[in-house]
């Protein structure tokens, strides 16, 4: 209960009692009178409390009584001051909680108030009614007020006692109901604990059986339904674990095969890469040599072209020689005719010289010499003609050979041109082939790297697959601890090798 709430209740009580500011000031004025009576009144109270067994048990010793007495004097001093605030409510609350903890019944507490009030009233009356004439009357008033207060407090005691008895009966009923509910709770908890214990041991077929109170029917139904669904779920898990084990075994076998094939493929690709690298080098060398051969063929084609020009010039020279031979033959024919005419003239001159006799002897000698010269010229011309004919034949044969050589050179030139074209095409093809092989080499190298990476990934996958197999086996071992509905005993033969 919070302080504002306590203060509100305090104000309500003060207003209901009419204990206003004026009365509280009047009470404060009687403080010395009130506190002066407390010691004797409390001694009377504690004397009676020690004599009654129900109250004597609350005090263990005389020191305990004196401590309680000092606390009571302090509290009544606070009351006599006429100040009722939050400190007052805290003090009253502490006293009430202490009495409740000790089990002090209100009747003894109210009886103590009656004794204290009796002493206070007596002191007030005696203080206010002093003198010979009123002293006797004051004693009578004191007795009357004391009797009235005690009667009122007695009635309060019984009323509160009845109220508390009713509360006690209600509390007893509540306690009986709580006991019954506790017994029912203990029963259902026992059933639940038994089912949970079997469940903890892996038996998912356990259920809460037997009759339970109606208020726990929903709990029983929900528990059995939940455990049934859990059993069904574990049954499916068992089936799925078997499938996982089989699939894991197949996957492990597949990854093992894949790992071996990947290793073989990596080795083959590595060998292929080395072979392609050698082919690339050979291709480069072939391209170089083909280019060199192309240069040689080109040079040969150029030499053949020059040879064709030389042959052409030789043919032209032979043709000129043949023309010159023909002209020489014509000249020899002219010389031969001249020799014939000269010989004929010499013969005629000899005849005429013979006719002349002695006078013609010198002319005859000249004619003879001319005749002999003409004969020698004819013989020389004949030999020259023979030589010219032979030379013409040789020149003709040479022209024929040169022509044939020219034709052969032309044919060779054409062949060399064809070879040059083919060599050029081969060179271009070899270049393209070298480029293609280089690209293939690059691709094979890249494939080799990728294959190596794939091999590493396959090894990791293989390791993960074996790990998955171990996890699957562990899962199977865990599941084998549970007994579920419609489930055959777990077999160990499906473990991956």
């Amino acid at each position: 209960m919070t302080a504002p709430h306590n203060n509100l209740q305090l104000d309500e009580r003060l207003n209901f009692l009419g204990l206003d500011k004026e009365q509280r000031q009047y009470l404060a004025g009687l403080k010395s009178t009130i506190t002066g009576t407390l010691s004797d009144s409390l001694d009377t109270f504690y004397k009676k409390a020690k004599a009654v067994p129900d109250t004597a048990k609350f005090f263990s010793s005389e020191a305990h009584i004196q401590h309680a007495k000092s606390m009571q004097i302090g509290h009544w001093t606070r009351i006599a001051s006429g100040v009722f605030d939050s400190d007052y409510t805290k003090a009253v609350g502490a006293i009430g909680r202490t009495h409740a903890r000790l089990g002090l019944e209100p009747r003894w507490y109210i009886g103590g108030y009656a004794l204290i009030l009796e002493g206070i009233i007596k002191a007030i009356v005696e203080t206010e009614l002093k003198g010979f004439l009123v002293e006797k009357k004051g004693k009578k008033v004191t007795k009357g007020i004391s009797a009235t207060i005690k009667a009122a407090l007695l009635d309060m005691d019984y009323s509160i006692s009845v109220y508390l008895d009713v509360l006690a009966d209600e509390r007893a009923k509540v306690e009986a109901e709580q006991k019954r509910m506790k017994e029912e709770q203990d029963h259902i908890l026992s059933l639940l604990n038994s089912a949970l214990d079997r469940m903890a041991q892996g038996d998912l077929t356990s259920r809460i059986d037997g009759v339970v109170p109606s208020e726990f029917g929903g709990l029983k139904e929900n528990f059995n339904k939940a455990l049934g669904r859990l059993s069904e779920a574990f049954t499916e898990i068992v089936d799925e674990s078997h499938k996982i084990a089989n699939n894991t075994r197949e996957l492990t076998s597949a990854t093992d095969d894949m790992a071996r094939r990947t290793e073989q493929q990596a080795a083959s690709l590595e060998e292929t890469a080395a072979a392609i690298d050698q082919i690339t080098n050979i291709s480069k060398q072939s391209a170089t040599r083909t280019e060199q051969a192309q240069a040689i063929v080109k040079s040969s084609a150029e030499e053949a072209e020059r040879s064709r020009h030389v042959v052409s010039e030789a043919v032209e020279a032979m043709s000129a020689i043949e023309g010159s031979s023909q002209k020489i033959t014509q000249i020899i024919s002219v010389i031969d005719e001249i020799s014939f005419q000269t010989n004929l003239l010499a013969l005629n001159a000899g005849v005429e010289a013979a006719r002349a006799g002695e006078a013609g002897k010198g002319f005859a000698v000249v004619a003879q010499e001319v005749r002999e010269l003409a004969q020698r010229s004819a013989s020389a011309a004949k030999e020259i003609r023979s030589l010219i004919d032979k030379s013409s034949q040789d020149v003709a044969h040479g022209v024929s050979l040169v022509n044939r050589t020219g034709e052969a050179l032309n044919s060779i030139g054409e062949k060399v041109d064809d070879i040059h074209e083919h060599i050029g095409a081969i060179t271009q093809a070899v270049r393209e082939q070298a480029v293609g092989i280089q690209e293939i080499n690059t691709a094979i190298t890249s494939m080799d790297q990728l294959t190596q990476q794939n091999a590493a990934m396959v090894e990791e996958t293989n390791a993960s697959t074996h790990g998955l197999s171990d996890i699957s086996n562990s899962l199977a071992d865990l599941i084998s601890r549970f007994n579920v509905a419609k489930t055959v005993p777990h077999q160990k033969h499906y473990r991956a090798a």
Side-chain angles (χ1 to χ4, degrees), residues 421-487:
E421 292 178 0
H422 289 304
I423 289 295
I426 291 171
T427 302
Q428 183 64 27
V430 168
R431 289 174 182 167
E432 295 176 354
Q433 183 181 15
V435 174
I437 291 175
Q438 181 63 37
E439 292 177 353
I440 293 173
N441 188 20
T442 302
I444 290 295
T445 303
S446 178
M447 289 176 62
D448 183 38
Q449 294 175 352
L450 291 176
T451 302
Q452 295 294 338
Q453 294 176 356
N454 289 339
M457 292 177 64
V458 167
E459 289 180 0
E460 294 177 358
T461 303
N462 193 20
S464 300
T465 304
H466 282 282
L468 180 62
S469 178
D470 294 338
I471 294 173
S472 176
N473 292 333
S474 300
L475 178 61
D477 291 336
L478 290 174
I479 292 175
S480 65
R481 301 177 186 176
F482 294 95
N483 180 23
V484 296
K486 301 179 181 179
T487 302

Side-chain angles (χ1 to χ4, degrees), residues 4-48:
H5 187 52
N6 286 334
N7 293 336
L8 178 62
Q9 290 185 349
L10 176 62
D11 291 338
E12 290 177 351
R13 283 174 168 81
L14 292 174
N15 292 331
F16 185 80
L17 293 173
L19 193 58
D20 56 13
K21 183 177 180 180
E22 181 180 358
Q23 288 195 351
R24 290 198 295 270
Q25 290 177 349
Y26 185 75
L27 178 62
L30 295 173
K31 180 178 180 180
S32 59
T33 303
I34 293 172
T35 56
T37 65
L38 291 176
S39 180
D40 293 339
S41 298
L42 289 171
D43 287 340
T44 302
F45 168 73
Y46 286 119
K47 183 178 180 180
K48 291 186 176 182

